[in-house]
């Protein structure tokens, strides 16, 4: 009996121990798994879904933690409420009691159906080459999955880009179709001429004179365009139905031209003097930046031997302005440089301006490099201009270092350009001058000093440490200074240029008078103007080279000329 009791006791103990396998060390029931319901989630953006977590075994006391892998797609609250944010997919997880479970979440975009579209214009009027972007509005504005397309019914008249920009191409009418979803709208585009041009653009007539206005369309020869003409004051000038203007009395009037939806005006000035005649004897100075021993009047007197000279103490730019006394037709300007060949501070960059009130100016001609010529130059304008006043501004000269400039003569012309006054040839050299020298090297003789070519120098013989040259003018010259141009060799080939140099004059080649002595003549290859302290008169000029920049026993000079007038 005792052994049976022991057996039953052992069996009871085993049953108790077996029952304890599902409990933790504290005696609580252990969590095996978590199940999420529903097992997958499909939502539309903006909607929610409540998730429920259950445990196995059931009833286990667990604190759940919810988390979304991508809250931008779908977020989840601490209670498992999923909120769809935007189209995409993510995973929502729950953790508790050391166990984790997850559920896939997919979010679809909100579908908002399109009800209508509006365009900002159902009819457009454009000029050739003009553009206009069409603004399209969806109704409702948040309609989804909508693509707007554009199409032109006549690309020869108007084209349209994928973004809705309409470009007028040619005259006529085109229909632009706008589509979005199953909705269509149209825009009627009418393309007219771009512009009209009127020739002449401005006009001055003598009382009783007539002028036909020629009007053209842009693009040219547009069909069906009728032009209308109207005078602002028929007491000054009348205009016919065909555009012929007739001057009645002195004054100024506007002629209006209309056609193709465009309106332009032409100013007509009527005077009692012939506007095609320069009448230069009636001109007078309006103003000047400066004058030196001369006047503006000498530049507009029709005589190129007289001149206007700017103040040597002033700086460029320098300018003069002229009152012609009455409005003039101007087809171009006439320009003549100062005629003294040895003075070469001729204008280079020049700007011609015109005005009808002497105050408000506009550019008629801008020449960056006016040719350095002595003959009269013909400077045509791009088109005829009408003005009473003109202004010439000299921005630079052909001698970069010169702070001054001058003009021989300036004029205008209307109609056919006159034959230019030839003046002295640009390459004219002093007639009959001769030169001798202490020595020369190879074929680089002293004649190179006065041949007008700076690239053919005089080069003394090697060993001639203080070379000299004498120029014979054949008659006495009053000399105010020297134009000196160094040898035009390369950067490393000018070291033997003159440093200490003396210029002297004589009437008999025996009695010499110093004109100019320079201890350190700048070693430059451009022409230098060497002004004498006082003018000297003589038939002969002697150049004595006392030393060079590298102390070589020889030297060279590119060109020598004399200055025969004061600045």
């Amino acid at each position: 009996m005792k052994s049976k009791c022991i057996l039953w006791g052992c069996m009871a103990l085993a049953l108790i121990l077996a029952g304890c396998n599902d409990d933790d060390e504290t005696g609580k029931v252990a969590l095996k798994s978590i199940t999420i319901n529903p097992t997958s989630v499909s939502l539309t953006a903006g909607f929610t879904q409540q998730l429920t977590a259950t445990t196995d075994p059931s009833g286990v006391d667990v604190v759940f933690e919810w988390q979304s892998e991508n809250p931008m797609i779908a977020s989840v609250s601490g209670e498992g409420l999923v909120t769809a944010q935007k189209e995409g997919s993510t995973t929502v997880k729950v953790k508790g009691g050391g166990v984790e479970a997850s559920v896939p979440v997919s979010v679809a975009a909100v579908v908002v159906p399109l009800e209508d579209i509006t365009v900002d214009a159902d009819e457009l009027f454009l000029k050739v080459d003009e553009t206009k972007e069409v603004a399209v509005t969806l109704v409702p504005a948040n309609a989804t999955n909508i693509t707007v397309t554009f199409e032109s019914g006549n690309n020869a008249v108007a084209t349209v880009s994928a973004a809705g920009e309409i470009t007028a191409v040619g005259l006529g009418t085109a229909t632009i179709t706008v589509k979005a979803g199953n909705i269509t709208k149209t825009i009627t585009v009418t393309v007219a001429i771009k512009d009209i041009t009127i020739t002449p653009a401005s006009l001055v007539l003598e009382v009783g004179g007539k002028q036909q206005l020629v009007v053209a369309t842009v693009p040219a020869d547009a069909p069906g365009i009728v032009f209308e003409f109207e005078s602002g004051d028929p007491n000054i000038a009348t205009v016919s139905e065909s555009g012929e203007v007739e001057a009645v009395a002195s004054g100024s009037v506007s002629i209006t031209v209309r056609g193709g939806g465009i309106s332009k005006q032409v100013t007509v000035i009527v005077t009692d003097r012939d506007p095609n005649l320069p009448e230069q004897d009636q001109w007078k100075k309006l103003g000047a930046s400066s004058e030196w021993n001369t006047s503006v009047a000498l530049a507009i007197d029709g005589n190129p031997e007289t001149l206007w000279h700017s103040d040597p103490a002033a700086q460029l730019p320098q300018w003069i302005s002229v009152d012609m006394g009455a409005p003039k037709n101007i087809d171009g300007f006439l320009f003549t440089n100062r005629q003294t060949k040895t003075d070469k501070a001729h204008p280079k960059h020049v700007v011609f301006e015109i005005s009808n009130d002497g105050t408000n100016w506009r550019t008629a001609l801008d020449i960056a490099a006016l040719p350095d010529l002595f003959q009269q130059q013909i400077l045509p304008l791009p088109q005829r201009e009408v003005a009473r006043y003109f202004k010439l501004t000299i921005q630079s000269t052909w001698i970069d270092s010169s702070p001054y400039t001058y003009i021989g003569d300036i004029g205008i012309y209307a109609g056919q350009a006159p034959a230019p006054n030839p003046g002295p040839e640009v390459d004219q050299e002093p007639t009959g001058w001769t030169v001798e020298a202490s020595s020369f090297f190879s074929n680089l003789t002293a004649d190179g000093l006065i041949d007008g070519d700076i690239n053919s120098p005089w080069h003394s013989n090697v060993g001639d440490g203080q070379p000299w040259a004498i120029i014979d003018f054949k008659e006495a010259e009053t000399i105010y200074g020297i134009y000196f141009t160094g040898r035009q060799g390369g950067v490393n080939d000018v070291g033997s240029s003159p440093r200490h140099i003396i210029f002297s004059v004589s009437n008999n080649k025996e009695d010499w008078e110093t004109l100019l002595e320079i201890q350190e003549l700048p070693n430059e290859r451009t022409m230098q103007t060497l002004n004498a302290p006082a003018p000297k008169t003589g038939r002969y000029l002697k150049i004595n080279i006392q030393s060079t920049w590298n102390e070589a026993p020889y030297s060279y000079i590119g060109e020598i000329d004399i200055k025969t007038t004061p600045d």
Side-chain angles (χ1 to χ4, degrees), residues 359-496:
T359 300
N360 300 294
W361 300 91
R362 60 188 179 88
T363 300
L365 204 57
D366 188 329
I367 304 175
L370 181 69
D372 186 13
L373 305 175
F374 287 95
Q375 64 262 36
Q376 184 185 65
Q377 301 186 53
I378 311 299
L379 310 175
L381 300 183
Q383 63 181 12
R384 171 169 286 191
E385 300 284 0
V386 172
R388 172 173 172 169
Y389 307 91
F390 71 83
K391 181 178 182 180
L392 173 57
T393 300
I394 301 168
Q395 303 283 355
S396 66
T397 71
W398 284 99
I399 299 177
D400 293 337
S401 60
S402 175
Y404 58 85
T405 188
Y406 22 67
I407 299 171
D409 196 65
I410 188 169
I412 65 168
Y413 69 89
Q416 185 175 358
N421 177 359
E425 292 297 329
V426 67
D427 58 351
Q428 178 180 340
E429 289 302 321
T431 303
W433 287 15
T434 59
V435 62
E436 60 182 293
S438 57
S439 66
F440 65 91
F441 176 75
S442 185
N443 63 341
L444 303 178
T445 66
D447 291 336
L449 285 175
I450 58 171
D451 64 356
D453 183 1
I454 61 175
N455 292 302
S456 60
W458 162 56
H459 191 306
S460 74
N461 201 4
V462 176
D464 189 351
Q466 292 187 330
W468 55 263
I470 297 175
I471 300 173
D472 182 0
F473 305 126
K474 304 303 180 184
E475 60 183 14
E477 296 277 3
T478 299
I479 305 173
Y480 290 81
I482 302 296
Y483 294 111
F484 181 97
T485 305
R487 181 182 179 184
Q488 300 300 295
V491 175
N492 299 317
D493 194 27
V494 292
S496 299

Side-chain angles (χ1 to χ4, degrees), residues 81-158:
L81 181 65
V82 176
T83 300
Q85 304 292 340
K86 68 176 184 178
E87 183 179 8
S89 61
T90 185
T91 299
V92 171
K93 297 179 180 180
V94 64
K95 295 180 181 179
V99 180
E100 179 181 295
S102 63
V103 61
V105 177
S106 62
V107 178
V110 177
V111 177
V112 179
L114 180 68
E115 298 175 8
D116 196 7
I117 61 173
T118 62
V119 293
D120 57 352
D122 56 8
E123 189 174 19
L124 289 175
F125 295 90
L126 302 177
K127 297 177 182 178
V128 173
D129 294 337
E130 190 177 359
T131 62
K132 169 70 176 179
E133 188 168 348
V134 178
V136 180
T137 303
L138 303 180
V139 181
N142 63 339
T144 55
N145 300 322
I146 301 300
T147 299
V148 180
T149 62
F150 304 87
E151 183 180 0
S152 171
N154 190 344
N155 285 315
V157 173

Side-chain angles (χ1 to χ4, degrees), residues 283-301 306-323 392 394 403-407 410 566-567:
W283 294 8
K284 61 182 180 180
K285 165 187 169 183
L286 178 66
S289 55
S290 67
E291 294 173 314
W292 187 74
N293 293 338
T294 60
S295 70
V296 172
L298 296 176
I300 57 176
D301 61 358
T306 61
L307 65 135
W308 161 75
H309 194 305
S310 70
D311 188 343
Q315 297 292 322
L316 296 177
Q318 293 286 314
W319 57 268
I320 65 172
S321 57
V322 176
D323 178 3
L392 173 57
I394 301 168
Y404 58 85
T405 188
Y406 22 67
I407 299 171
I410 188 169
D567 285 332

Side-chain angles (χ1 to χ4, degrees), residues 518-534:
I518 302 175
Q519 296 291 333
E520 290 192 352
L521 178 68
N523 188 6
E524 298 178 0
R525 280 165 283 175
T526 56
M527 186 179 76
Q528 302 179 55
T529 302
L530 312 176
N531 291 311

